[in-house]
Amino acid sequence: MTNPARSDAKPTILMVDDNPVNLEELAFLLNDAGFDVLRAETGETALELAKSRQPDLVLLDVLMPGVDGFTTCATLKSHPATREIPVLFMTALADTANKVQGFHVGAVDYITKPFQYEEVIARVQTHLTLQKLKSELQEKEQRLSRIFENAMDAILALDQEGRITMFNAAAEQMFRCKAGDNIGRSVDRFLSPELYKTVTNFRAGVPAKQAIWISEGMTARRGDDSEFPIEATISRVEASGQQLYILILRDINERKAREQAEAECHTLRGINSYLQEEVLASRDGEELIGNSAGLRQAMALVKQVAATDATVLITGETGTGKELIARAIHNLSGRKDKTLVKLNCATIPENLAESELFGHEKGAFTGAINRKLGRFELANGGTLFLDEIGELPLEMQAKLLRVLQEGEYERVGGTQTLKCDVRVIAATHRDLAQFSQEGRFRADLYYRMNVFPIHLPPLRERKEDIPHLVRHFINKYAAKFGKKITAIPDRLMSDMQSYIWPGNIRELQHIIERAVILTNGSQLANVECVHATAPVGATSSAPIVTLDEAERQHILKALEATSWRIAGNQGAAKILGVPSTTLRSRMERLGISKPA
């Protein structure tokens, strides 16, 4: 019951939730809406506050450590001082049994997480209003209809015979008829037979509870006799010595439409975030630096194919700049004003590959709480870059082939066939021809992807480009770290041109970044990780070592070139062409550990 000592003060809401973030968000919302807020993170604290402060309403979380929400609610209802305080459960539980249990212990309503803020305010206002009416209805029953007009839910008040005594504006909108035409008439005209039977039984005292929740599966009827699915609550109130029944109804279709709109909004925010990342990535991408014959040949092919919609397969070792070639093709094409969407097939779990490519519907699998757009949908009208296509699971290769041939796909869990207009560029460091012969890559997909191949030579085959790349990276990182570097030691440049560069341009980039960091003056610092390698065919006086020692030295070179990063696209495992778990195992076997 509303505390009479502060009848003119702001209503006080006691919020109980073990999550401080939820408490902070709801407290801000309720304060902004004109309520005083008490906070409790445990059931024990909530019981003490409820007895001492007598709040007007309690918002109670279900799942809490120690005394949970059900026990807290039952305890509140067992004490005369707190028995009349309305309790609204806040829960993410979708199970009907949990909601029924909440009403069984005395709650009057529930609010589903994640919160819809307008709904929270509407529910709180509705139940504060109902609570106030329980103490004032004897003298001011005529005010009930005007107060109900402000509720967002459709609210009907019924007398003991099931006749409508109040019919709020939300009910007029839901049932598409005027309140004046229905006051005094039986409520059965608006309820399906099953729902009417439930209401009738409740009026007869079955079940003998203060309030019950009617789950999905029942329907109501509009004024034009069209049916729609509903969820509802029924509660009993005493007014002027008579029993009244409050029926609060919500149109499930409207609720789902709101949820769908929120899901679409969430999806669009995700798309916007993804596109912003793509814009930043495209701005941060390195230019194709160099003038070697191999690079000129590759760029000539780029210019020839860019204006077409032909599928392109870019091949080359890890770190040679395959993504930059893909961006160059896109930027020179007629799709340059659309999005270039990328997906690294080597980094996605096999069970999520289909969802990443084609998207999924809400509820398609555990954890699919919203619809998600796949990369093909995001790239519609633009270009999709599939990096490391050779790592795509065989099952997904068949589905990818269908999209390339027919331009059609379905989201995971969906039945609607979607069309797409996407130009596909793929890249790999694998020998897909060999993979297809071994059955590790579909031959038909390989032939479909290999329409226009472009091969990027490794850095060791375009050593004339190394000075240009070195100066480019020096300028980039000197600007980043606020340094001015004008000279490069001749010995360092000679070593870099003699080195075999197993990590290619990416390895060179990381070495220059490290050298710039170590530089204190105007001359680039020497770095010890670059070891000149004798030209192929040259006689070497170095002793022949065991296979384990050779492997150890090779792994050390890759680790030093990547600053001892093992996993990831720029890690040593990627350079060496082995899984990160395999590399860690070999490091342990060979006694390799990162220097202190």
Side-chain angles (χ1 to χ4, degrees), residues 141-353:
E141 190 172 353
Q142 69 279 6
R143 295 177 54 194
L144 186 60
S145 60
R146 295 199 302 270
I147 298 172
F148 277 6
E149 295 302 307
N150 296 322
M152 293 180 64
D153 292 326
I155 302 178
L156 283 69
L158 313 177
D159 64 15
Q160 291 177 307
E161 284 72 40
R163 293 187 296 261
I164 299 171
T165 60
M166 296 182 187
F167 196 88
N168 74 342
E172 288 185 322
Q173 184 176 5
M174 175 181 285
F175 292 106
R176 299 173 185 171
C177 55
K178 296 294 184 182
D181 297 333
N182 295 288
I183 300 297
R185 301 183 63 176
S186 174
V187 74
D188 67 339
R189 67 169 301 194
F190 294 115
L191 310 181
S192 66
E194 185 180 6
L195 179 55
Y196 181 65
K197 181 179 179 180
T198 301
V199 174
T200 301
N201 289 340
F202 184 77
R203 287 177 18 238
V206 181
K209 298 176 181 177
Q210 195 66 24
I212 63 171
W213 174 63
I214 300 173
S215 62
E216 297 185 22
M218 293 195 183
T219 59
R221 287 198 301 262
R222 305 192 198 277
D224 59 5
D225 289 330
S226 61
E227 292 197 6
F228 60 98
I230 59 93
E231 59 183 3
T233 57
I234 310 176
S235 58
R236 295 182 175 91
V237 295
E238 195 78 27
S240 301
Q242 294 184 344
Q243 192 91 311
L244 289 182
Y245 304 90
I246 306 300
L247 181 60
I248 304 177
L249 301 104
R250 303 161 200 134
D251 186 330
I252 290 177
N253 287 336
E254 290 185 1
R255 173 174 61 79
K256 289 184 175 179
R258 289 195 302 270
E259 291 175 353
Q260 182 65 33
E262 290 173 358
E264 293 293 344
C265 183
H266 176 77
T267 300
L268 290 174
R269 285 197 296 267
I271 294 173
N272 182 58
S273 176
Y274 173 82
L275 294 180
Q276 287 178 354
E277 291 176 2
E278 285 297 295
V279 168
L280 291 175
S282 65
R283 289 176 179 173
D284 192 46
E286 304 298 341
E287 296 85 355
L288 288 160
I289 305 296
N291 194 38
S292 62
L295 184 59
R296 288 200 308 271
Q297 182 179 359
M299 289 307 300
L301 293 174
V302 166
K303 293 175 183 177
Q304 285 182 304
V305 76
T308 74
D309 279 338
T311 302
V312 178
L313 179 63
I314 306 170
T315 59
E317 296 179 7
T318 298
T320 51
K322 295 186 289 295
E323 182 178 339
L324 300 181
I325 291 292
R327 288 189 182 278
I329 294 172
H330 174 75
N331 292 336
L332 292 172
S333 73
R335 299 172 181 262
K336 63 182 179 181
D337 295 328
K338 300 292 184 178
T339 309
L340 170 64
V341 176
K342 61 181 180 179
L343 177 66
N344 190 321
C345 301
T347 62
I348 54 174
E350 185 171 342
N351 61 333
L352 294 180

Side-chain angles (χ1 to χ4, degrees), residues 95 246 468 479 485:
D95 189 90
I246 306 300
H468 302 290
I485 300 174

Side-chain angles (χ1 to χ4, degrees), residues 520-570:
N520 293 319
S522 61
Q523 178 170 282
L524 186 68
N526 278 296
V527 283
E528 298 301 326
C529 57
V530 175
H531 302 291
T533 302
V536 177
T539 302
S540 173
S541 60
I544 298 175
V545 297
T546 65
L547 288 175
D548 279 354
E549 182 59 27
E551 182 180 16
R552 187 176 190 278
Q553 293 176 6
H554 191 59
I555 290 175
L556 282 170
K557 287 182 180 179
L559 289 168
E560 290 169 350
T562 58
S563 302
W564 285 82
R565 178 181 294 178
I566 295 174
N569 288 336
Q570 299 179 356

Side-chain angles (χ1 to χ4, degrees), residues 15 22-34 37 39:
M15 290 173 20
N22 287 344
L23 285 177
E24 187 66 25
E25 290 181 353
L26 277 179
F28 178 81
L29 171 71
L30 293 169
N31 279 321
D32 193 53
V37 179
R39 310 183 196 183

